[in-house]
Amino acid sequence: MSEYDANVQTALDMAAARAATTLNMANLQEYLHGRAQNWQRRTDVVRVLSADAAFDKTEDNMTRAERFMRGQAMTRRLHELQNELGWTNDDIGLAMSVLDSPLPLTLHFQAFEPIFKLQASPTLLAEYGPLIATRGILGCYLQTELAHGTAWWIGAAGRTATHGVVQAQLVLPEGEDGSLEDHKPLPGIVLGDQGAPKSLGGFAATDNGFVRFDRVRVPLKNMLSRFARVTEEGDYVRPPHDKLGYGGYARTFCSDCLYLMYMLTRSPSHATAQPPPSLSVTPPVRRQGTRGPDGLERQVITYPSCTDGCSPSSPRIRVPSVANPAARLSAGDTSLLAELHATTAGLKVLTSSASIADVETARRSAGGHGFSAAAGLGRIYAEVLPSATYEGDNYVLDQQVVRAALKAYKALNSSANDLPPSSAYLQRLMDVNDGPPRIKFDSLGPDAVKLAPPLDNVIAQLNGVVALLEWRAALVVRELANNRKSLDVGSGFADADATRVARAVTDAFVAGRVADMARNMERDGLRAGDAAVVEQLLMLYLLTSAEAALPDLLAHGLLCGPGEVAGLRRAISALCAALVPHAIGLSDAFGFTDWELDSALGVYDGRVYEALWERAQREPLNEKEVTDAYEESIKWVLQNGQRRAAMHAAAKL
Ligand SMILES: Cc1cc2nc3c(=O)[nH]c(=O)nc-3n(C[C@H](O)[C@H](O)[C@H](O)COP(=O)(O)OP(=O)(O)OC[C@H]3O[C@@H](n4cnc5c(N)ncnc54)[C@H](O)[C@@H]3O)c2cc1C
């Protein structure tokens, strides 16, 4: 059997995989990025960054301190580019989102500035607003405490920030302003980088730090007093709504946390969007195992571990977003607070958990290469892992989702008001003529969403699974409510229940939004052929959500026995198999460049072995053919072994 050139073959396999998809790339790219202008803007920014030496990614072997300095140099360069090219602040935000490591500046943009704008009085806003908008001052957000008076983990606080929004207990009353000339902290404030490297080398460019306050007085004018305030006489004036005031310490939900959770529901989805391109790219070109009649080994994407693992990750990338709450909150409109709280808390948990799990799925799908830094997956994992903890620990948020659900359930029995989207699933319990659906899962495979089907059919099929997930949420919430002595939302429940019930509630909410996405595809500009593939992805999303919910579905009789479960799994496998030809097309649609992915396994042309080889040559250990460790250690170990072997041999004679 003739040998084949693996380097040439990977490129051929990639070209073949790309040719297999029927997707219209331009159409999908615009759909995924919201609008054609968004996609164009992103392309322009990436082109500038990837050609600029400040954002070069070939320096893999930097120390933590070097990464911090590189992050600061990138921040400076972003602002130089803003001056040179007339970039807006949104362009800078966009540029930061495509860099390989979070910069300290992220905290300024995502936490300090929006919360300052939300909470500052008009006078304070007039004084600092322009400086904040131009980065004449650099901010951080101080909420997490190590012990009272000491903030810990604060991004950008260690060495970068000049100012911060501090969430602290109010102790009345005046202080002094600091200087921007020398970058030194005010008297009574001790700060620094918290030192210990973060797990897996994540957040290396960010100076997460400690800040200790010792009898520091905050001048009255510097209090964030748009809603709550202290008068000249030292009296505290409450905000119009408790949740709009200062948040107090970490676990208290407040409008600031709401805003941060909203930001987070957006950012992890970007991180999850990155692995599928690299994992979709590798499995089609990687060949392992027995040879077929063509003399080629089998493509790893045809192994179930890759097909069934990779495909469900793809539909999770496009999470439904919630309306940005900042505008209404800053106008003092609190009517949506409870609803936004329930949805953002649930979505934050869902997106961060799914991102973490999906990056690991991607890593495993790439075998040993997935563990190599050259794959780029470890870097993404390190950045996304703590998102389960910061800005609302997921366990704690689960409890808040469940509290909101129990409150909605309690209100269901006492009022006939329309249910908001976050608890629309409870309506199922009110429709006395409507029972849980019995679904023929085998009809939900790819045939249910063949090219250009009548849209109504597809929607009907999707709606069946949406109904199933809504019934599951309604029944588990009712069960929890019935098993509790009191429906007072303050009384405790087991954490295990909280995670399971919160997931059911969020799955039901997202399922409703998935159905909306399917309904609005034409309005959102997706052409029929592309829409059919996206519908398959949406169906796959719903079915894998149902599969993950099997214990609840079986416990509540929503699925009956092995036949229905097997049907559900057959439908999932069939959809995964149907989507394989589109794997490259779907990952191309995200439009990540080789520079952005920074992954030898994800190179656009498929020549992954060459890319891996080139990276290996950059390894400093390879600079000398014989390592210094040879003279220092290896030689001794070898000679010692040889001496002892000779002694054993002599003893045997
Ligand atoms: C990379 C990174 C960046 C960060 N950046 C910032 C920043 O810029 N500013 C900032 O203020 N903070 C920041 N943080 C801190 C982060 O917000 C906190 O770590 C997070 O809110 C959890 O708080 P904690 O560390 O005090 O954990 P703890 O509250 O001590 O939690 C420990 C454990 O107890 C559980 N637990 C706690 N309370 C409850 C409860 N009521 N019910 C059930 N279980 C509970 C938690 O689930 C967790 O498992 C950052 C953290 C990381 C990792």
Side-chain angles (χ1 to χ4, degrees):
M1 195 155 293
S2 65
E3 263 310 321
Y4 60 90
D5 181 332
N7 277 320
V8 174
Q9 191 58 46
T10 55
L12 290 174
D13 285 341
M14 177 56 73
R18 201 159 266 133
T21 184
T22 53
L23 293 168
N24 178 315
M25 221 34 67
N27 186 224
L28 255 189
Q29 276 163 348
E30 287 169 16
Y31 175 74
L32 284 172
H33 290 273
R35 286 167 37 204
Q37 296 94 309
N38 296 351
W39 166 241
Q40 190 52 50
R41 195 69 205 119
R42 188 173 187 287
T43 309
D44 292 344
V45 167
V46 168
R47 192 182 312 112
V48 171
L49 297 181
S50 57
D52 194 305
F55 308 101
D56 178 49
K57 297 189 180 183
T58 53
E59 297 293 333
D60 325 303
N61 297 300
M62 286 181 166
T63 62
R64 157 80 213 289
E66 286 167 342
R67 286 186 193 280
F68 171 75
M69 294 302 284
R70 175 176 177 255
Q72 298 292 336
M74 288 198 279
T75 303
R76 174 184 167 153
R77 185 68 192 130
L78 286 176
H79 288 88
E80 287 171 353
L81 287 169
Q82 179 170 46
N83 292 349
E84 289 164 21
L85 304 175
W87 278 4
T88 62
N89 281 346
D90 284 347
D91 291 331
I92 294 209
L94 179 59
M96 284 197 299
S97 76
V98 301
L99 295 178
D100 56 351
S101 177
L103 299 178
L105 191 62
T106 312
L107 278 305
H108 180 98
F109 271 93
Q110 291 197 356
F112 176 72
E113 182 170 20
I115 289 168
F116 183 87
K117 280 161 120 174
L118 194 66
Q119 296 276 3
S121 66
T123 318
L124 197 63
L125 210 51
E127 183 175 349
Y128 287 101
L131 281 171
I132 291 173
T134 54
R135 269 75 64 205
I137 61 176
L138 292 170
C140 60
Y141 177 74
L142 302 95
Q143 177 160 346
T144 305
E145 56 174 350
L146 189 63
H148 293 304
T150 307
W152 193 265
W153 263 121
I154 311 307
R159 287 291 173 255
T160 308
T162 58
H163 288 66
V165 164
V166 185
Q167 300 282 5
Q169 235 158 5
L170 179 65
V171 182
L172 298 170
E174 202 169 324
E176 55 185 301
D177 252 340
S179 154
L180 275 178
E181 298 304 316
D182 55 11
H183 211 58
K184 285 190 177 157
L186 286 169
I189 297 180
V190 177
L191 54 77
D193 190 279
Q194 71 197 41
K198 280 146 270 187
S199 290
L200 309 172
F203 286 78
T206 302
D207 46 334
N208 288 90
F210 60 84
V211 184
R212 219 174 69 207
F213 298 94
D214 185 11
R215 286 176 284 268
V216 176
R217 292 175 169 202
V218 179
L220 187 59
K221 71 180 179 63
N222 282 15
M223 305 284 286
L224 295 178
S225 50
R226 171 170 291 194
F227 303 116
R229 64 191 171 86
V230 175
T231 64
E232 294 284 347
E233 294 71 39
D235 296 323
Y236 175 64
V237 180
R238 303 189 71 81
H241 188 296
D242 275 353
K243 310 284 192 206
L244 274 175
Y246 292 98
Y249 282 110
R251 249 64 64 193
T252 313
F253 168 71
C254 63
S255 52
D256 300 351
C257 300
L258 174 65
Y259 185 83
L260 294 171
M261 286 191 294
Y262 162 75
M263 294 305 292
L264 277 165
T265 59
R266 299 174 63 197
S267 49
S269 58
H270 174 78
T272 333
Q274 289 203 10
S278 36
L279 82 93
S280 304
V281 168
T282 313
V285 303
R286 175 89 173 140
R287 288 177 177 273
Q288 286 285 285
T290 47
R291 289 169 192 259
D294 54 3
L296 301 174
E297 290 175 83
R298 183 171 163 180
Q299 284 173 289
V300 299
I301 198 163
T302 62
Y303 290 114
S305 59
C306 288
T307 315
D308 293 0
C310 304
S311 305
S313 306
S314 305
R316 280 198 283 269
I317 294 161
R318 183 78 209 267
V319 294
S321 55
V322 289
N324 186 337
R328 292 182 70 163
L329 288 176
S330 58
D333 177 356
T334 57
S335 60
L336 278 183
L337 264 181
E339 175 66 2
L340 280 168
H341 179 202
T343 49
T344 48
L347 285 175
K348 189 270 176 180
V349 174
L350 183 77
T351 52
S352 55
S353 306
S355 302
I356 294 163
D358 290 344
V359 179
E360 172 60 3
T361 301
R363 187 191 70 72
R364 290 187 190 199
S365 302
H369 294 307
F371 192 63
S372 161
L377 292 166
R379 168 179 55 77
I380 299 171
Y381 191 66
E383 308 302 357
V384 86
L385 193 57
S387 66
T389 302
Y390 57 60
E391 288 328 323
D393 176 279
N394 283 5
Y395 291 121
V396 177
L397 292 181
D398 280 339
Q399 296 187 32
Q400 295 180 358
V401 172
V402 175
R403 282 204 182 96
L406 289 173
K407 211 169 168 180
Y409 179 76
K410 191 177 172 186
L412 190 67
N413 294 323
S414 57
S415 103
N417 287 344
D418 278 352
L419 290 163
S422 70
S423 40
Y425 63 90
L426 288 172
Q427 186 63 39
R428 299 278 170 195
L429 299 175
M430 306 299 280
D431 298 337
V432 281
N433 297 323
D434 185 22
R438 296 247 70 91
I439 297 180
K440 290 193 171 59
F441 287 105
D442 278 321
S443 69
L444 298 188
D447 286 350
V449 280
K450 272 190 187 142
L451 287 188
L455 190 63
D456 289 351
N457 275 355
V458 179
I459 304 287
Q461 305 274 25
L462 286 167
N463 280 346
V465 192
V466 173
L468 191 69
L469 291 167
E470 289 188 343
W471 269 104
R472 169 235 191 175
L475 294 177
V476 298
V477 168
R478 185 172 72 183
E479 180 186 47
L480 184 68
N482 288 343
N483 287 345
R484 285 154 51 85
K485 289 196 191 87
S486 134
L487 276 187
D488 286 347
V489 287
S491 53
F493 37 80
D495 277 0
D497 276 344
T499 299
R500 185 175 56 81
V501 176
R503 183 58 191 258
V505 169
T506 307
D507 276 350
F509 173 76
V510 172
R513 309 290 74 72
V514 165
D516 291 344
M517 282 169 76
R519 222 171 285 123
N520 294 328
M521 276 182 195
E522 201 179 327
R523 184 203 68 186
D524 294 342
L526 213 51
R527 295 174 202 175
D530 300 335
V533 174
V534 175
E535 277 153 7
Q536 289 184 345
L537 280 172
L538 296 182
M539 181 67 87
L540 181 59
Y541 177 85
L542 293 177
L543 292 181
T544 49
S545 300
E547 192 193 23
L550 274 178
D552 284 339
L553 296 177
L554 290 167
H556 289 279
L558 293 167
L559 284 194
C560 293
E564 285 192 330
V565 174
L568 168 64
R569 290 183 169 144
R570 273 196 299 274
I572 290 173
S573 288
L575 279 166
C576 288
L579 284 164
V580 165
H582 301 293
I584 290 297
L586 287 168
S587 57
D588 279 355
F590 285 96
F592 290 116
T593 62
D594 282 355
W595 173 80
E596 281 170 274
L597 286 183
D598 192 25
S599 164
L601 303 190
V603 285
Y604 186 82
D605 64 8
R607 302 181 87 95
V608 294
Y609 297 139
E610 283 176 14
L612 279 169
W613 178 261
E614 276 165 24
R615 281 183 188 241
Q617 308 320 304
R618 303 208 304 247
E619 168 56 47
L621 271 180
N622 294 336
E623 277 169 15
K624 291 183 183 169
E625 195 168 29
V626 177
T627 166
D628 293 343
Y630 177 71
E631 287 299 334
E632 282 175 25
S633 311
I634 298 172
K635 190 172 170 183
W636 183 91
V637 172
L638 293 172
Q639 289 177 345
N640 178 55
Q642 289 155 13
R643 201 170 46 245
R644 293 184 62 187
M647 279 162 52
H648 284 304
K652 276 191 183 163
L653 285 177

